Amino acid sequence: MSNLPATDYKYGFSKPENYVFKSKKGLDVGVVEEISSMKGEPVWMRDLRIKALGIFEKKKMPSWGADLSSINFDDIYYYIKPTDNQKSDWRDLPKEIKDTYDAIGIPEAERNLLAGVTAQYESEAVYHSFQKKWEDMGVIFCDMDTALRKYPDIVRSYFGRSIPAADNKFAALNSAVWSGGSFIYVPPGVKVDIPLQAYFRINAANMGQFERTLIIVDEGAYVHYVEGCLPAGEQVSLGDKWVNIESVKPKDFVITENGEAGKVKAVMTRNYKGKLVKISPISTYNSFRLTTEHPVLVVKRGDVLKKRKPRGGWLLETDTKLLENAVPGYVPAGKLEVGDFLVFPKIKASAITSLSEKELRLLGWYLAEGSTYVHKKLKMPIVSFSLASYEKRRLDEVENLIREITGKNVYRIADKNKRGVSLVVYSQKLRDLCLMHCGKGARTKILSQEIMSLEWDVAKPLVDAYFEGDGSVYEKGRLMIRASTASEHLARQIQELLARGGYYACINVRKGSADKILGRSIVRGDQYVLYYAPNKKWSEVRTTRDYYLVPIKKIELLDYDGPVFNLDVDAPNSYLVRGFAVHNCTAPVYSTDSLHAAVVEIFVKKGARCRYTTIQNWSNNVYNLVTKRAFVEEDGVMEWVDGNLGSKITMKYPSCYLVGRGARGEILSLALAGSGQHQDAGGKLMFLAPDTSGEIISKSVSVGTGRTSYRGLVKIIKNAERVKCNVRCDALVIDEQSRSDTYPTMEVAEDNVQIGHEASVSRIGEEQLFYLMSRGLSEVEATSLIVNGFIEPIVKELPLEYAVELNRLINMSMEGAVG
Amino acid sequence: MNLQIKNLKVKAQEKEILKGVDLVVGAGQVHVVMGPNGSGKSTLANVIAGNPMYTIVDGRLTIDGKNINKLTPDKRAKLGIFLGFQNPIEIPGVSVFNVIRKATSNKQSFSSNKQKAIRNKKTNGQLPVASGSVSAFRQDLLEYAASLKLSPDHISRSFNEGFSGGEKKRNEILQMLALSPKLVILDEIDSGLDVDGLKLVAQAIKKFSTLNPKSSIILITHYARILKYIKADFVHVMADGKIVKSGKQKLASEIEEKGYQFLSV
């Protein structure tokens, strides 16, 4: 791989995605012109960009804040145009949301309101009707590139008016290379009652790193805009489920080589052009692709051979003793050979269950043969099991199980042609149980976390029943058990449960086609065929106490050009790809090319109100340097709610320029700095007219070696009489090494004003911890609860789904830091 | 729950506070521990609950035969030990509801294994009733609060922040009712309560005993006045880090009349 640039990221799991255009690394007039012409921009924007580039080159790096010395501007791709265009999306509220209303203590009345909103979120059609409604009211909500095309005059008259390129080095950079972001215009008097939201992916190699947002709220109008960089609607890896690597976030837990959960410290992504190695073990479904240098945990076949000559075209025979006692080691993927043994760890399980053996068995039958729905006319919850009419013994068993568990009558309903029988029961309890633990739909059935945490002995009734229902026994030299399912997740999960019991099951994919079941013609989707040998003597897979050794059947080299991903996982520095252990990258974790330099400009006209909410959780190698400013006219109100959790360094001080009499600005700033992070955040209030008022509330938490700084500026000019201003900054410091500083600046040129300033720094007391622990909370839970209480004044201002996510993120940070 | 304390010696910051305490509390019994200020009563309560401020120098603490000397406070809580604090702390921004919910959810996950067997027997393999539903839990909590004459918005308030002394004490009892522990230690629950407050708390304790007949209670108190409302099985008097006298309820009234002096050895 000598053609790779030395700085390029070496190891990674790949994601097949094609980019339409990618600028070269580094920045010059050529790059800026290219970006502008790729986007087909008007001349004035191109000139603005080029001028901004000149300013950027002249401006010095800010030296007063966090340490930015390791940013290398020549090592950055400034523009990548993906095939997949920008998406702004409503995020479905999580299911647990109703519980959460209680948990975060939202008053009853407000809860009912939110419940209404939830229902609206859940329907895409409703979302569209909102969009239609906004359009009818004259609201414009689109991405910035579109705005520039469709509304060039508005954009031109506001772009850079509150934050000119010359404002600071990063504003200049953004002006030169900006791409994406949101544009919002709300016409006079229009109140947009539902928050407008846009999500930016965490994926650092993706677009949106230099996004530009422009919001104009015309006289008397109102809007709430939410900017999130949490991934929308994606699953989280908790060890019970498998997710795409690109959706894994720092602080998630993934399973490592020893079968236990390890915390992800960072998710890294780079563009890679070259060969990828595709490795296929005996189970073709479990094949995976890696860059050639990515270390994979294996036992090399050459190390465990018998001292005997090879026969015919066979692979050299291995010595079982040697193999089972061999210590696996990491070998670059490019050096692997067919016949080498991959390590497939058995995932550790422990938990206890509230499910009885009979319930587990019935759930197994449900996985295989069950379905649940609500009867349309009767409005009755139904669970139904379909079996063949000749399966007498099974019919009896399932019927008995249902009866014992629900205590209700079971109806046997025969198929028209008498080949099939459905066992039907009207039971909400059973429906809930099935949905909770197994999901529904042939392709989407998925086992619950509770079941996936069970030991083999406990989970066995479920797996057995599943194979009895969906499976078949056949002999192919040896006794084999086979089952097929349309749910990819379920296949993986059953494979894992079996692995705990000492059975290595293979999964092969059968492509969808027309098929027949019980005489009926159907079209099958892809089927995942699981098969395993119950007598554990599969000749090719060896088992040891903690893992399986699975031989490689095929190795292919593929050409690739696109982004690759890697995870940086806490000790033991490895994670599983398709069930097999691979090592973290060994390249430096913190590269310089993850830079997020956004600009947000807001204009709040007379009597208008705007709220802008941000929760950023960038991965921990991102420099997050954002300029946000609002101009507020007479009697207008601007509210910034700004939450900073992720990134390596954040420097962000949302500001309000109160230019009209009676204008008000509020800034709520929240910062959480874990180890290696520095959150330099705060706010600026500029009182430039009489009777203006404003407030800054800052809450910061530092954990481990994390550092938070509050940096604030309050400026009151001469003749800005009767200004009222209040600043409050509280810091919570969790560990001995954690650090918190306060840098408040006040420039007051007028005497007739009221100013308040309060600051506090606190630690979590032993007594608080003992009290909560004496209630049964672990130290981590107790700490999390106290931290969540500390930031509650800001969290309660967040949209609910963000509040929930924030809670989860904080609990995870505490888990890593405490105890 | 059976608690056995044998020759317990405890120090805090190099100072010996308990100098060999022996105490046996049987399941369902109510014990009262009295004594003058500084005799070690509160220390005893804190040590049973596992406060890390105190170091056990010698002796054994056993619960149903299991040595708990080395268990952290959360593990003891999960065994069913509950301490009602003399001076409960504040947790700003966290509601009463949230603290108790967190506490009960922990308890459930722990006991589900043991209860599973029982429940399966009882219900003949029927589905367990969906326990732990949030609204049901809220309803329970509101009822407990009402029985303690705490307003319905009490559970939404920031934990102990701005509570009156009486509200803080009743808030401790509220947690006891919600957690139904197997060993309750109430550290001067009666101090800072007026007569009405004392009656309310005493009634709640009595009701708790009736509902949880196997749960044991240790009342730590300076005064005997709570004994007007609660019948104790045993009364112990502590002085200078030891239990110097044990008896029945009558002992308490003697102290009430004559003060601690009459015991001075």
Side-chain angles (χ1 to χ4, degrees):
Chain A
M1 300 323 305
S2 53
N3 59 337
L4 278 176
T7 50
D8 237 17
Y9 180 73
K10 287 201 290 191
Y11 311 120
F13 181 55
S14 68
K15 177 197 172 200
E17 193 180 304
N18 296 315
Y19 286 125
V20 170
F21 172 77
K22 191 170 69 190
S23 73
K24 64 172 185 171
K25 266 188 187 174
L27 193 53
D28 55 30
V29 174
V31 169
V32 171
E33 281 180 339
E34 208 175 355
I35 293 172
S36 191
S37 82
M38 278 301 299
K39 291 167 171 286
E41 288 176 350
V43 177
W44 68 266
M45 181 54 82
R46 194 196 62 192
D47 291 348
L48 187 151
R49 285 178 184 271
I50 292 169
K51 203 175 146 204
L53 177 67
I55 298 169
F56 166 73
E57 283 164 348
K58 280 194 212 97
K59 282 250 175 199
K60 286 195 178 130
M61 286 286 256
S63 55
W64 41 267
D67 177 15
L68 304 176
S69 58
S70 49
I71 298 178
N72 179 0
F73 291 106
D74 296 329
D75 198 28
I76 296 173
Y77 291 106
Y78 286 89
Y79 181 54
I80 296 173
K81 185 184 167 75
T83 49
D84 187 12
N85 267 323
Q86 295 98 318
K87 278 180 186 157
S88 58
D89 212 29
W90 293 110
R91 186 179 181 204
D92 285 353
L93 287 172
K95 281 178 201 161
E96 311 79 28
I97 219 77
K98 282 171 203 113
D99 285 2
T100 319
Y101 288 146
D102 285 317
I104 56 180
I106 293 180
E108 200 80 24
E110 209 173 317
R111 252 195 295 163
N112 293 337
L113 183 74
L114 280 167
V117 175
T118 315
Q120 289 158 348
Y121 278 175
E122 276 167 1
S123 158
E124 190 139 73
V126 179
Y127 165 60
H128 284 304
S129 75
F130 272 122
Q131 209 173 31
K132 176 101 184 23
K133 194 174 125 196
W134 298 329
E135 274 168 20
D136 292 347
M137 294 191 298
V139 175
I140 304 170
F141 178 28
C142 60
D143 70 87
M144 226 14 226
D145 297 290
T146 308
L148 185 57
R149 269 200 316 278
K150 284 173 78 176
Y151 315 100
D153 296 340
I154 311 183
V155 173
R156 189 172 186 179
S157 59
Y158 286 97
F159 194 99
R161 217 170 90 189
S162 78
I163 307 176
D167 189 81
N168 66 71
K169 191 172 178 76
F170 293 96
L173 176 64
N174 177 280
S175 301
V177 302
W178 73 268
S179 180
S182 296
F183 175 81
I184 296 173
Y185 172 76
V186 187
V190 171
K191 298 195 162 40
V192 183
D193 47 1
I194 291 204
L196 303 180
Q197 313 194 25
Y199 292 88
F200 300 101
R201 290 288 220 110
I202 290 176
N203 191 337
N206 219 323
M207 44 138 223
Q209 293 181 74
F210 302 100
E211 85 268 9
R212 181 101 190 184
T213 290
L214 176 58
I215 299 176
I216 302 147
V217 194
D218 220 325
E219 291 187 7
Y222 169 72
V223 72
H224 180 190
Y225 175 76
V226 183
E227 167 207 305
C229 67
L230 310 171
E234 293 187 62
Q235 297 165 305
V236 179
S237 163
L238 292 168
D240 56 335
K241 284 188 282 211
W242 291 81
V243 298
N244 293 330
I245 193 164
E246 69 269 19
S247 66
V248 173
K249 303 191 292 293
K251 294 165 189 162
D252 279 346
F253 284 84
V254 293
I255 301 298
T256 64
E257 65 180 66
N258 58 17
E260 286 163 354
K263 192 158 86 169
V264 176
K265 289 193 287 193
V267 178
M268 286 153 291
T269 164
R270 280 299 170 93
N271 286 288
Y272 173 82
K273 188 176 178 183
K275 296 282 186 202
L276 284 182
V277 187
K278 181 178 178 188
I279 299 167
S280 304
I282 49 172
S283 169
T284 53
Y285 172 82
N286 297 75
S287 63
F288 55 99
R289 298 183 303 163
L290 296 156
T291 53
T292 51
E293 313 210 356
H294 200 126
V296 179
L297 192 60
V298 292
V299 173
K300 292 287 288 179
R301 196 176 192 89
D303 297 339
V304 293
L305 291 179
K306 273 191 180 163
K307 287 177 184 145
R308 195 194 295 165
K309 282 188 182 167
R311 291 179 291 185
W314 292 44
L315 283 172
L316 292 163
E317 277 181 81
T318 55
D319 183 313
T320 304
K321 273 260 166 61
L322 278 178
L323 181 58
E324 281 166 5
N325 293 322
V327 178
Y330 281 99
V331 175
K335 299 223 165 100
L336 294 176
E337 293 164 286
V338 170
D340 288 346
F341 292 89
L342 296 164
V343 173
F344 186 97
K346 300 178 184 174
I347 292 171
K348 303 269 192 302
S350 58
I352 41 188
T353 179
S354 58
L355 295 164
S356 70
E357 194 180 321
K358 284 181 175 161
E359 284 161 14
L360 284 163
R361 252 194 100 75
L362 189 59
L363 287 173
W365 282 108
Y366 172 79
L367 282 181
E369 315 282 10
S371 62
T372 178
Y373 52 94
V374 175
H375 194 288
K376 278 196 189 116
K377 282 183 193 150
L378 301 173
K379 300 244 160 46
M380 295 278 275
I382 290 176
V383 183
S384 156
F385 296 79
S386 304
L387 284 91
S389 52
Y390 59 81
E391 296 175 296
K392 288 245 159 31
R393 194 185 56 77
R394 292 176 182 174
L395 280 166
D396 290 344
E397 190 208 332
V398 176
E399 186 177 333
N400 285 333
L401 284 172
I402 301 173
R403 195 172 289 132
E404 281 181 42
I405 289 168
T406 63
K408 295 204 171 173
N409 276 337
V410 183
Y411 303 94
R412 282 198 186 200
I413 299 169
D415 211 347
K416 273 183 207 134
N417 54 22
K418 301 272 165 76
R419 290 188 215 220
V421 174
S422 292
L423 297 170
V424 175
V425 63
Y426 297 94
S427 166
Q428 185 69 45
K429 255 197 303 195
L430 186 58
R431 177 174 155 83
D432 290 347
L433 186 80
C434 291
L435 288 179
M436 184 161 109
H437 290 294
C438 301
K440 64 172 189 173
R443 278 180 218 181
T444 48
K445 276 181 185 167
I446 181 167
L447 291 168
S448 67
Q449 198 183 348
E450 178 174 348
I451 287 177
M452 287 312 293
S453 65
L454 298 180
E455 284 167 9
W456 168 247
D457 290 343
V458 186
K460 191 169 182 297
L462 181 141
V463 178
D464 285 350
Y466 171 71
F467 274 99
E468 274 176 54
D470 249 358
S472 58
V473 177
Y474 71 106
E475 277 189 51
K476 186 182 159 193
R478 65 192 86 85
L479 191 68
M480 297 290 291
I481 293 180
R482 179 173 64 180
S484 73
T485 169
S487 165
E488 185 177 356
H489 261 308
L490 186 61
R492 295 298 311 253
Q493 291 181 319
I494 300 276
Q495 183 184 41
E496 247 177 66
L497 288 176
L498 282 167
R500 288 176 199 165
Y503 305 100
Y504 179 82
C506 290
I507 302 176
N508 288 341
V509 185
R510 196 166 74 198
K511 282 284 161 205
S513 64
D515 201 350
K516 281 191 170 183
I517 288 187
L518 299 172
R520 281 174 300 166
S521 288
I522 56 151
V523 178
R524 263 190 206 278
D526 287 354
Q527 291 283 313
Y528 299 86
V529 184
L530 275 155
Y531 53 99
Y532 73 100
N535 67 2
K536 295 196 190 184
K537 285 200 174 159
W538 186 289
S539 61
E540 291 181 275
V541 175
R542 304 305 166 96
T543 173
T544 68
R545 201 167 58 88
D546 295 324
Y547 49 83
Y548 298 94
L549 294 168
V550 182
I552 297 174
K553 281 284 172 179
K554 196 159 94 182
I555 294 177
E556 296 157 89
L557 279 178
L558 311 170
D559 283 317
Y560 185 78
D561 183 9
V564 291
F565 297 85
N566 191 7
L567 306 179
D568 182 19
V569 181
D570 268 348
N573 300 318
S574 64
Y575 54 97
L576 302 187
V577 175
R578 293 267 161 168
F580 298 100
V582 299
H583 201 278
N584 284 356
C585 81
T586 50
V589 173
Y590 297 116
S591 53
T592 53
D593 61 349
S594 305
L595 173 62
H596 175 235
V599 165
V600 177
E601 294 183 275
I602 297 180
F603 298 88
V604 180
K605 304 281 182 162
K606 185 175 172 184
R609 191 171 149 220
C610 177
R611 170 176 280 215
Y612 190 110
T613 301
T614 312
I615 292 291
Q616 70 85 356
N617 185 31
W618 298 98
S619 63
N620 288 1
N621 58 342
V622 172
Y623 287 88
N624 183 42
L625 312 167
V626 178
T627 312
K628 291 181 164 176
R629 190 170 302 161
F631 272 42
V632 192
E633 296 180 12
E634 195 178 331
D635 292 327
V637 179
M638 177 67 213
E639 299 159 329
W640 293 103
V641 180
D642 198 54
N644 297 298
L645 289 115
S647 84
K648 179 183 185 185
I649 286 175
T650 287
M651 288 173 73
K652 187 158 37 134
Y653 325 97
S655 55
C656 298
Y657 282 56
L658 306 170
V659 296
R661 181 185 289 267
R664 178 165 176 81
E666 287 179 21
I667 301 164
L668 295 181
S669 170
L670 169 70
L672 176 75
S675 286
Q677 289 183 282
H678 184 179
Q679 306 281 12
D680 198 295
K684 281 194 232 174
L685 287 175
M686 311 292 269
F687 297 89
L688 308 173
D691 298 305
T692 48
S693 63
E695 186 170 46
I696 302 176
I697 295 176
S698 158
K699 294 257 178 188
S700 68
V701 181
S702 31
V703 189
T705 61
R707 179 178 169 194
T708 57
S709 309
Y710 165 77
R711 199 176 297 275
L713 173 65
V714 170
K715 184 170 180 167
I716 302 174
I717 61 164
K718 184 77 190 150
N719 297 328
E721 293 178 310
R722 296 173 300 281
V723 160
K724 284 184 189 158
C725 172
N726 187 38
V727 176
R728 174 170 187 97
C729 45
D730 296 322
L732 184 64
V733 176
I734 307 276
D735 295 302
E736 289 298 318
Q737 324 99 290
S738 326
R739 178 172 165 190
S740 171
D741 316 286
T742 308
Y743 306 98
T745 307
M746 297 233 179
E747 295 171 15
V748 181
E750 170 61 45
D751 293 331
N752 182 15
V753 295
Q754 281 181 34
I755 302 177
H757 181 99
E758 285 177 80
S760 75
V761 179
S762 49
R763 278 177 193 278
I764 291 181
E766 291 287 321
E767 281 183 29
Q768 271 181 320
L769 278 182
F770 171 58
Y771 186 93
L772 288 173
M773 287 177 76
S774 81
R775 298 300 181 249
L777 279 67
S778 68
E779 189 176 349
V780 173
E781 289 170 329
T783 310
S784 298
L785 199 66
I786 294 167
V787 171
N788 277 312
F790 173 77
I791 61 170
E792 191 268 348
I794 290 180
V795 171
K796 73 178 182 206
E797 299 295 328
L798 295 177
L800 191 64
E801 63 269 41
Y802 284 88
V804 173
E805 184 68 10
L806 193 64
N807 239 285
R808 189 178 76 85
L809 291 169
I810 283 176
N811 295 350
M812 284 192 164
S813 317
M814 295 308 132
E815 264 165 39
V818 179
Chain B
M1 179 179 264
N2 271 298
L3 169 72
Q4 269 205 342
I5 302 176
K6 257 193 193 151
N7 189 31
L8 187 67
K9 293 183 181 165
V10 168
K11 65 175 185 185
Q13 290 158 352
E14 299 310 310
K15 190 180 170 226
E16 192 171 37
I17 302 179
L18 297 186
K19 300 172 180 172
V21 173
D22 291 280
L23 181 65
V24 179
V25 178
Q29 293 177 348
V30 178
H31 287 240
V32 172
V33 177
M34 302 179 71
N37 288 331
S39 57
K41 306 186 299 282
S42 278
T43 302
L44 180 62
N46 275 274
V47 170
I48 298 171
N51 191 334
M53 294 240 308
Y54 302 96
T55 317
I56 296 178
V57 184
D58 196 11
R60 280 162 62 90
L61 278 170
T62 53
I63 285 291
D64 293 338
K66 180 183 154 82
N67 187 333
I68 59 161
N69 277 22
K70 294 214 166 105
L71 292 186
T72 50
D74 50 328
K75 300 224 168 83
R76 298 188 197 199
K78 282 170 184 167
L79 286 177
I81 299 178
F82 175 88
L83 172 62
F85 283 67
Q86 186 179 356
N87 299 307
I89 46 91
E90 293 177 3
I91 309 167
V94 182
S95 66
V96 170
F97 175 83
N98 263 349
V99 172
I100 302 183
R101 180 156 173 252
K102 194 92 199 159
T104 48
S105 65
N106 268 326
K107 197 170 147 266
Q108 273 163 8
S109 68
F110 179 79
S111 56
S112 66
N113 191 29
K114 281 182 193 162
Q115 285 174 358
K116 185 189 76 181
I118 305 164
R119 188 162 56 205
N120 280 341
K121 249 183 215 166
K122 269 191 193 159
T123 55
N124 241 342
Q126 288 236 349
L127 280 180
V129 186
S131 61
S133 118
V134 181
S135 50
F137 173 70
R138 177 179 282 273
Q139 205 48 50
D140 286 352
L141 212 51
L142 283 170
E143 280 170 26
Y144 294 140
S147 75
L148 290 163
K149 297 231 163 89
L150 289 164
S151 71
D153 68 348
H154 174 84
I155 64 171
S156 313
R157 290 176 72 185
S158 178
F159 198 86
N160 279 335
E161 209 180 19
F163 286 18
S164 71
E167 279 172 334
K168 283 186 182 175
K169 293 291 162 102
R170 281 182 277 158
N171 191 44
E172 294 294 288
I173 298 295
L174 177 67
Q175 294 171 70
M176 175 189 82
L177 294 174
L179 291 166
S180 31
K182 299 188 183 109
L183 172 64
V184 179
I185 308 151
L186 297 173
D187 189 5
E188 305 219 3
I189 198 71
D190 48 347
S191 67
L193 285 177
D194 58 21
V195 181
D196 291 339
L198 187 67
K199 268 190 201 166
L200 265 180
V201 165
Q203 272 163 10
I205 296 171
K206 272 205 283 202
K207 195 177 159 205
F208 171 84
S209 297
T210 332
L211 290 174
N212 303 277
K214 292 247 170 82
S215 293
S216 320
I217 298 175
I218 302 176
L219 287 171
I220 287 177
T221 177
H222 192 74
Y223 304 104
R225 57 181 188 148
I226 198 169
L227 292 172
K228 278 185 199 150
Y229 310 102
I230 295 174
K231 199 187 159 302
D233 297 306
F234 296 94
V235 174
H236 311 275
V237 179
M238 274 190 85
D240 193 26
K242 283 185 176 172
I243 289 180
V244 291
K245 195 164 173 75
S246 296
K248 299 274 176 172
Q249 183 125 3
K250 217 179 78 196
L251 179 59
S253 23
E254 279 181 75
I255 292 168
E256 187 82 323
E257 280 169 33
K258 303 175 191 164
Y260 289 109
Q261 271 76 13
F262 92 100
L263 289 166
S264 54
V265 198

